[in-house]
Amino acid sequence: MRQFWLLQRPIFRSSLYFRHNLTKSHYCAPIFGMTENITTPASTVKQIGDNKRLSSTVADPTKQTKAKKPKLRRYKAKKVDATSPMGVLEFEVNDLLKSQDLSREQVLNDVTAILNDKSRVDGPIVLQYHREVKNVKVLEITSNGNGLALIDNPVEPGKKQVVIIPFGLPGDMVNIKVFKTHPYYVESDLLDVIEKSPMRRDDLIRDKYFGKSSGSQLEFLTYDDQLKLKRKTIMNAYKFFAPRLVAENLLPQFGTTVASPLQFGYRTKITPHFDMPRIKEKKLTERPPLGFGQKGRPQWRKDTLHIGGHASILDIDECVLATEVLNIGLTNERRKFEEEFKNYKKGATILLRENTIILDPSKPTPEQLTEEGSRDENGNISYVEVEDEEHNVKLAKTCVTNSRQIVTEYVDGYTFNFSAGEFFQNNNAILPVITKYVRDNLQNSTKDGENESRFLVDAYCGSGLFSICSSKGVDKVIGVEISADSVSFAEKNAKANGVENCRFIVGKAEKLFESIDTASDRTSVILDPPRKGCDELFLKQLAAYNPAKIVYISCNVHSQARDVEYFLKETENGSAYQIESIRGFDFFPQTHHVESVCIMKRV
Ligand SMILES: C[S@@+](CC[C@H](N)C(=O)[O-])C[C@H]1O[C@@H](n2cnc3c(N)ncnc32)[C@H](O)[C@@H]1O
């Protein structure tokens, strides 16, 4: 089962929230898990339609009008991908219930009662549910980095509620404010930490927005604990989405997560944004906050509560995760925004993307900054100089703000050009580490001997990162990519790096099999799909092609686990493959994200 129905009805807030803290996210978060008694029945829909038609006819004054029966509000079902954060949460809640010997029935909330409370803002039932709860013991941490705990159901004695607590760590004792109710869990804000988990290390916090911003959410963990947590996320993903592989003992020991060489100042792209406030005139008189989303309404870090303001978007003037030049760019663009905000009619996002220039040491740096970049208050392009000692080159970093401008990244001695707004991996420091790992895990010997030709297919190749970085060890590379723009950059990048054995195809990944001409037993395949993972059609054709080795790289380990199980258990030749290794790469330190690499070998 690759998708299932979840619920969507996010309206349960306390009056306080409604008046002061109404945010888009409070409107949009979906509810999961309750399929019974939820959708509006067909008869009700018809009746609403009929009523509409009746109301347009002329009323007969002799007939007494019947008092209208108040409509019962019901949940609306919404399809959610099981491997999306909402889908994964369902597995995590079930896992918690299992560990606590509780059934789903025992934590089911009466959402209908809240929905139909007299006032959905501060009616008596709403206020019972949306309350402060003291001395809550945090039991688990989710793959999204939130604490999970159990609290008593405030309305139905004997029943419990599963509560999500942002910034809660297993072992913490906390006070919380519940503000939203879903059928199988409630959401809360952290008010106070009464007893600290041994994992909690406040002395490590560097981000002044920590505890409010959705950015550096794991900063209060040692880096080692962050890596362990990401390994657990990968193990759980396979437990949830590849249960047959677990049951049949087909999974290897999960590797330790590979650290990022930089744990701060690594992001090469950030996108601060602002919302248009709800004002009648649609004309800004005050600069709106420009930055990143606030994570709930936490109050636990009393000293820093005022920093960044209190709106749903925090006003952020520094990003500890972004590179130095992006932070300089942020200062420049904020200054510009201060002067220009009145011209905006709606909210907008500002792109800040790092660009690299290989310097000629005999010439002054400013002379070599020929491409546009974010400028300082004197109108000069801001830059930072960096030495690449390994390749003995001097680099200048600038900050590009135009999404159509071509930018350059320098990875492992190769240069890559792409449009600033297009996809490119976001942590330059870890790229040489992962490209080497991928290279080392391609087929390196054949049954027939060392001298046989070897080939590489790079599915979802983007602008050619893995194709080009792996091109030396193989005779021929075929890359496939849906974005024609990225393919044209991949071709240009191969040429500019003097790589002559790469060919790129525009199209869906499965288009590859129309023209593939390499011997499958001497071909390795790299898969690096978007978050949703691979199509079943592609996986079937991949199995029919039957390559010697598969290196599956993924930014969503949950869809990776699902695809790996499908490939091994549901496709023609899948059973001929063995999983050699699975391990994470920490592309995003201080956040819950993890890149997972699974290596499969035909045996
Ligand atoms: C995670 S990125 C990886 C890109 C590249 N491997 C890299 O590391 O720079 C996924 C890429 O898959 C492409 N893509 C998305 N759906 C696709 C499909 N159905 N077939 C082929 N490519 C697709 C996207 O345009 C994107 O460039």
Side-chain angles (χ1 to χ4, degrees):
M1 189 177 71
R2 301 189 65 151
Q3 283 191 329
F4 51 89
W5 289 87
L6 301 177
L7 296 175
Q8 179 97 345
R9 194 68 187 238
I11 1 169
F12 323 121
R13 291 172 299 269
S14 72
S15 55
L16 233 147
Y17 265 83
F18 191 74
R19 269 185 254 120
H20 302 299
N21 296 320
L22 200 57
T23 69
K24 227 193 207 165
S25 63
H26 284 96
Y27 272 119
C28 305
I31 297 168
F32 75 62
M34 194 156 130
T35 43
E36 55 278 319
N37 207 8
I38 288 156
T39 43
T40 312
S43 59
T44 319
V45 175
K46 194 168 176 296
Q47 201 188 337
I48 294 166
D50 289 344
N51 284 348
K52 263 198 189 144
R53 250 180 282 126
L54 280 176
S55 64
S56 64
T57 60
V58 182
D60 179 353
T62 58
K63 280 196 183 155
Q64 232 180 11
T65 42
K66 257 193 194 168
K68 262 193 190 165
K69 220 171 147 191
K71 252 192 267 166
L72 190 71
R73 290 177 183 277
R74 296 175 191 275
Y75 306 118
K76 277 186 190 148
K78 197 193 172 198
K79 220 174 186 177
V80 173
D81 185 334
T83 68
S84 69
M86 291 305 303
V88 174
L89 181 61
E90 171 140 15
F91 286 92
E92 293 174 326
V93 167
N94 287 343
D95 221 31
L96 178 80
L97 296 181
K98 204 168 154 199
S99 73
Q100 301 296 313
D101 212 12
L102 285 169
S103 68
R104 277 165 75 78
E105 186 52 42
Q106 286 171 289
V107 294
L108 180 61
N109 296 307
D110 188 358
V111 183
T112 312
I114 305 174
L115 266 175
N116 293 286
D117 197 11
K118 277 206 178 55
S119 157
R120 284 157 56 213
V121 176
D122 53 8
I125 303 175
V126 168
L127 289 183
Q128 258 181 298
Y129 273 97
H130 300 161
R131 78 285 185 195
E132 290 191 12
V133 187
K134 292 203 183 325
N135 302 321
V136 178
K137 188 93 185 157
V138 182
L139 301 170
E140 263 303 337
I141 181 162
T142 68
S143 57
N144 255 5
N146 296 321
L148 272 188
L150 286 167
I151 51 177
D152 290 333
N153 184 304
V155 176
E156 298 176 76
K159 278 178 82 170
K160 295 275 177 196
Q161 291 184 308
V162 176
V163 58
I164 296 179
I165 307 172
F167 305 104
L169 286 173
D172 278 341
M173 179 82 86
V174 296
N175 294 341
I176 57 170
K177 165 93 201 256
V178 175
F179 68 85
K180 199 192 293 181
T181 302
H182 304 261
Y184 288 103
Y185 69 95
V186 297
E187 290 183 64
S188 73
D189 284 326
L190 182 55
L191 300 180
D192 288 297
V193 180
I194 309 299
E195 275 171 40
K196 285 184 182 179
S197 155
M199 291 165 84
R200 192 175 275 276
R201 287 281 306 276
D202 292 346
D203 56 310
L204 298 174
I205 298 168
R206 281 166 55 168
D207 183 3
K208 61 184 172 188
Y209 306 101
F210 177 79
K212 288 183 87 176
S213 151
S214 49
S216 57
Q217 188 195 351
L218 300 183
E219 227 188 317
F220 57 176
L221 295 181
T222 63
Y223 192 49
D224 198 41
D225 276 348
Q226 291 184 29
L227 297 177
K228 283 185 188 144
L229 184 65
K230 292 181 189 200
R231 180 168 180 263
K232 187 180 149 203
T233 295
I234 295 176
M235 287 164 69
N236 276 345
Y238 277 84
K239 180 167 96 178
F240 300 150
F241 291 95
R244 281 181 286 170
L245 302 185
V246 177
E248 293 173 34
N249 230 349
L250 295 176
L251 296 172
Q253 175 89 12
F254 289 84
T256 51
T257 309
V258 177
S260 168
L262 292 178
Q263 286 136 38
F264 288 91
Y266 61 82
R267 274 194 82 117
T268 48
K269 177 188 167 192
I270 55 171
T271 48
H273 45 274
F274 68 94
D275 274 346
M276 193 73 184
R278 290 169 191 222
I279 43 172
K280 239 188 183 166
E281 311 81 51
K282 285 261 172 234
K283 211 166 171 215
L284 288 168
T285 47
E286 246 178 73
R287 178 179 70 74
L290 174 68
F292 306 110
Q294 181 162 191
K295 194 169 170 61
R297 303 285 165 190
Q299 293 173 31
W300 61 293
R301 300 200 76 219
K302 308 279 185 251
D303 298 346
T304 58
L305 214 54
H306 59 287
I307 299 180
H310 301 285
S312 61
I313 293 182
L314 295 176
D315 196 40
I316 286 186
D317 62 12
E318 182 199 15
C319 172
V320 294
L321 305 185
T323 61
E324 188 183 348
V325 79
L326 291 198
N327 272 300
I328 297 172
L330 182 60
T331 307
N332 293 343
E333 298 313 308
R334 283 177 63 86
R335 194 188 50 249
K336 229 166 108 186
F337 186 58
E338 192 77 56
E339 291 157 13
E340 296 174 358
F341 72 87
K342 287 185 184 141
N343 305 334
Y344 284 91
K345 298 263 178 298
K346 49 185 179 181
T349 297
I350 295 174
L351 170 72
L352 300 174
R353 169 71 95 165
E354 185 172 290
N355 181 34
T356 306
I357 297 145
I358 302 174
L359 292 172
D360 175 348
S362 66
K363 292 183 190 160
T365 300
E367 259 179 37
Q368 299 180 61
L369 308 178
T370 49
E371 307 290 338
E372 191 45 50
S374 179
R375 291 173 182 267
D376 65 18
E377 65 267 45
N378 302 317
N380 299 318
I381 294 178
S382 301
Y383 66 92
V384 171
E385 287 180 359
V386 182
E387 295 281 346
D388 178 351
E389 284 165 9
E390 196 186 336
H391 300 98
N392 197 24
V393 283
K394 199 171 164 192
L395 308 168
K397 304 279 187 182
T398 60
C399 172
V400 165
T401 56
N402 177 351
S403 64
R404 285 192 293 275
Q405 193 173 323
I406 296 170
V407 294
T408 305
E409 286 250 13
Y410 188 66
V411 183
D412 218 9
Y414 294 103
T415 53
F416 290 89
N417 287 328
F418 52 95
S419 302
E422 287 275 318
F423 177 86
F424 200 83
Q425 305 287 0
N426 216 335
N427 175 347
N428 185 280
I430 203 169
L431 290 184
V433 183
I434 194 161
T435 49
K436 179 176 186 314
Y437 183 79
V438 169
R439 240 182 353 255
D440 291 349
N441 276 288
L442 301 178
Q443 184 193 33
N444 48 24
S445 66
T446 62
K447 281 182 190 146
D448 305 333
E450 285 293 315
N451 294 328
E452 287 285 343
S453 312
R454 284 187 292 277
F455 309 104
L456 173 62
V457 166
D458 184 6
Y460 312 89
C461 68
S463 48
L465 175 69
F466 290 111
S467 300
I468 291 169
C469 289
S470 305
S471 60
K472 270 195 191 133
V474 292
D475 293 70
K476 191 155 98 180
V477 183
I478 305 169
V480 62
E481 161 63 47
I482 206 162
S483 154
D485 191 38
S486 294
V487 165
S488 107
F489 277 108
E491 285 165 346
K492 287 180 205 148
N493 287 334
K495 204 166 170 201
N497 286 294
V499 171
E500 288 177 352
N501 59 347
C502 294
R503 178 164 72 90
F504 297 99
I505 305 168
V506 180
K508 282 185 151 191
E510 50 272 22
K511 184 152 184 221
L512 169 77
F513 301 108
E514 288 170 13
S515 59
I516 197 159
D517 57 358
T518 60
S520 62
D521 61 340
R522 282 183 278 129
T523 301
S524 304
V525 176
I526 296 173
L527 309 178
D528 186 11
R531 291 194 72 76
K532 70 181 166 75
C534 301
D535 293 342
E536 287 180 2
L537 176 69
F538 171 79
L539 292 170
K540 275 187 186 146
Q541 294 189 12
L542 177 67
Y545 174 64
N546 211 10
K549 220 150 175 206
I550 299 171
V551 177
Y552 188 154
I553 306 152
S554 174
C555 55
N556 179 0
V557 63
H558 304 98
S559 59
Q560 181 192 61
R562 177 204 63 198
D563 289 351
V564 169
E565 179 171 282
Y566 183 84
F567 182 79
L568 262 66
K569 303 303 289 177
E570 302 288 335
T571 63
E572 191 186 334
N573 296 319
S575 58
Y577 285 81
Q578 192 179 51
I579 303 177
E580 269 191 352
S581 63
I582 304 171
R583 77 183 319 161
F585 281 74
D586 191 15
F587 275 43
F588 295 101
Q590 323 305 333
T591 77
H592 64 267
H593 296 284
V594 62
E595 199 87 1
S596 170
V597 182
C598 171
I599 316 275
M600 287 181 274
K601 186 172 127 189
R602 198 174 82 189
V603 285

